[in-house]
Amino acid sequence: MPLRNSRSGLALLLVGVAITACTESQTEFVSREPFNPPPDTVNGFLGYFDAPSKQTTCASCHVTRGGLWKTTEHADAWNTLQNSGSAQQFCEGCHSVSDLGNTSPAPAGYNLTPTPVYYDVQCESCHGPGFEHVLVPDAGTAPLASIKGTTGNPAACGTCHSGSHQPFISEWALSRHNLMNAWPRGQAACISCHSGQGALQFFGVNTNYLEKDAPVGQQETITCAICHNPHGSEFDKQLRFSVGSQDANLNLCIKCHNEGAQPNVDGSGWPMAPEGPLVLGENAGWFPPGFDPMLDRIRGSHGSGANVRLCATCHVDGYTATDGQTGEFLQNVTGHRFLAIPCVDSDTVPTTAQDCTTLTERTFRACTTSGCHADEGAARLAFTVTTARIDPLITTIDSLLALVPPSELDPSSGVLTTAKGSKFNNDLAKKTGSTTHNPFLIEGLLLASIQALNDEYGPFP
């Protein structure tokens, strides 16, 4: 008890001292303007509120996004240019807040008023000037960014991510992400993967942007901002999701390339976008009687943990192309045509037409990056051997299906027959890339289908 009382007394004494100290201290409140006057008074770009700490004016309110943005390469774009060893004045507009990348029709920001306030690719680089919004901070004045993949007005990522050093936009423009068939984007059921707006909604992105309310059929294709989060991300290259996750629901590529990997219960459906399940070896194809995917070698090396970037390892392979004679720089190849084995010219630059007819006209360099294939020759040989094993099986199933009763393939019967299941597996094998995505599973499915067709409808002549 005495000890407890002495401690209590000490506690009271300390509290008393603390109260006395707080009473004696003085807090002075100093008012300041909520934003700095914009150096570019013509266009109203605000830029940094405090340049040394990279505190943007926008982040004074949009704190979370401002903090995330600081982790991106955009936040250090000016220093990146200056330290590159090749900084030139015409580069500065893309490494600062300017009229490039937004709706500004004339020189603005750093291009009009060069000042450190505009260093780096800040919020207004994409959203446009924020002066009106800070004066009247409501939704009606908020400057909206564009998700377009063009370099026109309104412009977005492609304005700066272009040219021989960063030809992202020119490569993307030739890719199937941009050159998709028009009809799926016109159907509401397909827009979650066939339109930019639909994909963002599917990904759970609810932020506002210029094209958000475009009607079905007039929406954007899968542009840069669909896969990359301009505000920043926990994943490499500001990707919205991981490209290495083995969970189909969390993998950026597989979230969409995950459709039609199995026939419907009535035998309808076709392998529309089965790449993800096929690579992972999960729920891909029709399993004939006796075919156990857990016993018959289902997951190939492309879907294993050894391939840490999964689809992106082969389909987003970047490298530098040089002149074969002089060794001089020609261009960076960014891999944003998403071609695993593209046709290339003599300097290894992917050709526009992509109509080469021999494997020697294609580069297999992406196949060597994960360490599975020692060199391009080994990868090319593996492709040749796999094709030679699987193509005859495809031909065999085609010939057997021609001999089964037509009723067994009737799409209106509502029954998943052996013939329908085998045809689905054959169509899956015929789909471009399938024999590479998982040659072991494809070969197993085809062999099991041939056996099932013989058991069900044979003997055949």
Side-chain angles (χ1 to χ4, degrees):
M1 290 299 293
L3 180 61
R4 179 179 298 174
N5 287 337
S6 63
R7 286 183 175 175
S8 299
L10 176 61
L12 289 172
L13 176 62
L14 292 175
V15 170
V17 171
I19 293 174
T20 302
C22 291
T23 303
E24 292 178 354
S25 66
Q26 294 183 355
T27 302
E28 182 179 0
F29 292 92
V30 179
S31 63
R32 66 165 176 81
E33 294 296 326
F35 55 87
N36 296 330
D40 174 6
T41 58
V42 175
N43 299 285
F45 280 94
L46 297 163
Y48 278 129
F49 182 83
D50 181 62
S53 65
K54 294 184 183 293
Q55 173 68 36
T56 66
T57 302
C58 305
S60 295
C61 290
H62 302 280
V63 178
T64 300
R65 287 180 185 162
L68 195 58
W69 167 84
K70 282 187 178 182
T71 68
T72 71
E73 293 184 26
H74 282 165
D76 201 40
W78 184 264
N79 284 335
T80 298
L81 173 63
Q82 304 310 314
N83 297 331
S84 67
S86 56
Q88 299 185 60
Q89 186 175 1
F90 66 81
C91 304
E92 294 175 348
C94 279
H95 290 258
S96 63
V97 177
S98 73
D99 50 284
L100 303 178
N102 51 70
T103 59
S104 298
Y110 189 88
N111 283 342
L112 185 66
T113 311
T115 168
V117 170
Y118 294 139
Y119 285 175
D120 302 321
V121 180
Q122 302 177 38
C123 318
E124 293 169 294
S125 295
C126 301
H127 284 269
F131 185 54
E132 182 182 355
H133 185 54
V134 296
L135 291 177
V136 184
D138 59 29
T141 62
L144 300 181
S146 169
I147 63 167
K148 284 186 176 295
T150 63
T151 57
N153 196 331
C157 313
T159 308
C160 286
H161 292 279
S162 59
S164 60
H165 287 276
Q166 290 205 18
F168 291 94
I169 197 66
S170 58
E171 290 185 17
W172 164 84
L174 295 171
S175 76
R176 294 191 67 180
H177 278 172
N178 180 46
L179 300 178
M180 293 183 299
N181 293 330
W183 65 266
R185 284 189 290 138
Q187 298 187 14
C190 303
I191 62 173
S192 62
C193 285
H194 283 269
S195 83
Q197 287 89 335
L200 288 177
Q201 184 177 5
F202 174 46
F203 290 170
V205 178
N206 298 313
T207 53
N208 203 2
Y209 50 91
L210 283 172
E211 300 83 12
K212 187 172 185 178
D213 296 326
V216 174
Q218 297 179 28
Q219 298 184 343
E220 302 301 315
T221 53
I222 305 303
T223 62
C224 316
I226 311 309
C227 296
H228 300 270
N229 186 346
H231 297 121
S233 163
E234 63 182 289
F235 304 110
D236 188 38
K237 305 302 182 184
Q238 298 178 222
L239 292 172
R240 293 190 183 275
F241 297 92
S242 167
V243 293
S245 176
Q246 295 277 337
D247 186 332
N249 295 314
L250 299 177
N251 185 290
L252 176 65
C253 307
I254 298 176
K255 285 180 77 70
C256 274
H257 293 272
N258 188 24
E259 185 69 31
Q262 294 179 306
N264 296 330
V265 292
D266 61 356
S268 63
W270 58 285
M272 182 167 60
E275 295 83 9
L278 196 55
V279 167
L280 296 177
E282 298 173 352
N283 303 316
W286 171 70
F287 296 163
F291 181 77
D292 187 344
M294 298 307 294
L295 298 178
D296 290 328
R297 180 65 170 135
I298 339 335
R299 178 169 295 189
S301 57
H302 292 156
S304 72
N307 182 17
V308 295
R309 296 177 67 234
L310 293 178
C311 316
T313 295
C314 296
H315 287 277
V316 192
D317 177 44
Y319 61 93
T320 299
T322 57
D323 188 294
Q325 300 297 321
T326 66
E328 294 182 357
F329 171 85
L330 291 176
Q331 72 169 72
N332 288 321
V333 177
T334 72
H336 278 64
R337 288 186 69 172
F338 310 104
L339 302 170
I341 51 172
C343 301
V344 295
D345 62 21
S346 59
D347 296 315
T348 71
V349 176
T351 60
T352 300
Q354 288 295 303
D355 58 357
C356 58
T357 56
T358 65
L359 291 182
T360 55
E361 297 175 274
R362 296 180 178 274
T363 177
F364 280 70
R365 72 174 307 281
C367 306
T368 69
T369 57
S370 64
C372 294
H373 301 283
D375 53 43
E376 287 196 58
R380 192 175 284 110
L381 178 61
F383 181 87
T384 302
V385 170
T386 299
T387 302
R389 290 170 62 94
I390 291 177
D391 280 357
L393 301 179
I394 293 174
T395 301
T396 297
I397 292 179
D398 278 336
S399 64
L400 295 180
L401 289 175
L403 299 175
V404 305
S407 60
E408 293 295 288
L409 291 167
D410 182 5
S412 64
S413 68
V415 178
L416 176 55
T417 63
T418 296
K420 288 182 182 179
S422 299
K423 183 179 185 304
F424 183 91
N425 286 346
N426 220 31
D427 289 340
L428 181 64
K430 291 176 181 178
K431 195 167 181 65
T432 301
S434 286
T435 55
T436 300
H437 291 142
N438 197 330
F440 305 103
L441 178 56
I442 289 294
E443 186 174 23
L445 288 171
L446 295 183
L447 288 170
S449 295
I450 291 172
Q451 183 63 52
L453 288 169
N454 278 284
D455 291 345
E456 180 78 14
Y457 307 109
F460 292 104

